[in-house]
């Protein structure tokens, strides 16, 4: 069946780093644009970063530019989000999304940035 499984979240101090992974199965990963979204308590879900199906183009929210990097491995059907210099305002549940002729969401992974 179709699955997106995020991992790599956790508690980190300000200035620290985390690497999120989204392992997928059940669909042709290389045909899908992949994105990371996040949702903080009381706020709407927002786009963090996206990457084209080939990996040739990326897009970032202004708030994470220069700190986060999205990448994908089409051989392993996995998309990553490297997050550096984390700030308390990055605290949220992070979701992986696959988009093509349909949209598929993962279940999310919690990222908490706190001292």
């Amino acid at each position: 069946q179709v699955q997106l499984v995020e991992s790599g979240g956790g508690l980190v101090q300000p200035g620290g780093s985390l690497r999120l992974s989204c392992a997928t199965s059940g669909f042709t990963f290389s045909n899908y644009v992949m994105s990371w979204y996040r949702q903080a308590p009381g706020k709407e879900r927002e786009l963090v970063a996206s990457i084209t199906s080939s990996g040739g183009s990326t897009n970032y929210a202004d708030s994470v530019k220069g700190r986060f990097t999205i990448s994908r491995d089409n051989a392993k059907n996995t998309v990553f989000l490297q997050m550096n210099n984390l700030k308390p305002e990055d605290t949220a549940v992070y979701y992986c999304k696959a988009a093509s002729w349909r949209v598929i969401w993962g279940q999310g992974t919690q990222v908490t940035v706190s001292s």
Side-chain angles (χ1 to χ4, degrees):
Q1 70 275 27
V2 173
Q3 276 193 312
L4 281 71
V5 180
E6 299 97 333
S7 61
L11 174 63
V12 63
Q13 292 187 342
S17 297
L18 284 174
R19 188 190 195 210
L20 304 184
S21 298
C22 174
T24 74
S25 60
F27 61 100
T28 307
F29 179 77
S30 60
N31 288 348
Y32 283 67
V33 173
M34 299 300 298
S35 303
W36 287 96
Y37 282 71
R38 67 186 181 188
Q39 187 166 20
K43 294 189 176 182
E44 292 188 353
R45 192 173 296 189
E46 62 174 356
L47 175 66
V48 175
S50 62
I51 186 166
T52 56
S53 56
S54 67
S57 181
T58 57
N59 181 56
Y60 297 92
D62 287 343
S63 58
V64 307
K65 281 181 182 176
R67 300 189 297 122
F68 290 11
T69 302
I70 188 171
S71 61
R72 66 191 294 160
D73 186 336
N74 283 355
K76 295 183 178 179
N77 298 332
T78 303
V79 62
F80 306 97
L81 186 67
Q82 177 68 43
M83 305 186 296
N84 298 329
N85 190 22
L86 282 160
K87 304 176 181 181
E89 52 263 42
D90 295 319
T91 295
V93 178
Y94 283 71
Y95 297 91
C96 177
K97 186 185 90 170
S100 179
W101 59 276
R102 59 178 170 177
V103 174
I104 311 164
W105 289 94
Q107 82 291 347
T109 185
Q110 176 70 46
V111 172
T112 302
V113 185
S114 175
S115 55

